[in-house]
Amino acid sequence: MRSVSVREAVRTAKRYGAESCCSEVEAQQETNLTGTPAQLQQLRALQAHLAFAQGRFEDAALLSRSVLSEEDLRLPYRDRVRLSVLDGRLAIRAGRVEEGVAALQQLARRATQSGHVDLAAHVWQVLATTLAAGLRPSGEAPCRSRPGRPDGPQSVGRQGIRTGGADGVAESGAKP
């Protein structure tokens, strides 16, 4: 068996994205890993994200829970939040919608309060897309657009006249 540095595995995964280094991470599961506890936690967190991306939700849940429940969690703040976001997404996917939504909302608020506005925006975006994915029938795009839909957004002029449909074309004869 070949010994591989966890630092090398984490660096490669971050550089190329979790999905593109799939074979490398799988290969490293077969080798003897060396690294600090923090590096091993980072590797398992990346494996959880990879499992989620591949549709292996049970594996993702087991990995994320095992890392988050460790007594001596050494992940950096952003990695911890992102792993907690994954855990919230998994809760929603498993049918525990209220629990997952509450967890994600709390994460977003904490990130905002700690000055990590970009991270908070990421959490809110994940929450919105996760909920939107659960509300539409399978196979349907998240946002269909049909120009000229009568039920689309409308603009109302000063005299209360409807001035535009979903495609923005004036329906009242006035210029939009």
Side-chain angles (χ1 to χ4, degrees), residues 31-101:
T31 62
N32 194 15
L33 293 172
T34 61
T36 66
Q39 291 169 332
L40 292 171
Q41 286 177 356
Q42 285 179 320
L43 179 62
R44 289 201 337 264
L46 285 169
Q47 289 171 337
H49 286 287
L50 177 63
F52 184 86
Q54 293 177 333
R56 297 181 296 118
F57 304 116
E58 288 180 19
D59 293 343
L62 289 172
L63 285 163
S64 69
R65 280 278 107 212
S66 72
V67 173
L68 289 171
S69 65
E70 284 192 27
E71 217 171 282
D72 188 21
L73 189 59
R74 296 175 179 217
L75 290 176
Y77 178 74
R78 289 179 171 278
D79 291 347
R80 218 174 324 134
V81 169
R82 287 198 170 104
L83 190 59
S84 296
V85 167
L86 177 65
D87 199 51
R89 289 178 79 183
L90 289 164
I92 292 170
R93 229 182 130 38
R96 300 186 324 271
V97 177
E98 288 181 22
E99 175 189 332
V101 168

Side-chain angles (χ1 to χ4, degrees), residues 17-33:
E19 290 182 59
S20 64
C21 68
C22 171
S23 59
E24 184 169 338
V25 171
E26 288 174 348
Q28 289 168 7
Q29 289 175 343
E30 303 297 321
T31 62
N32 194 15
L33 293 172

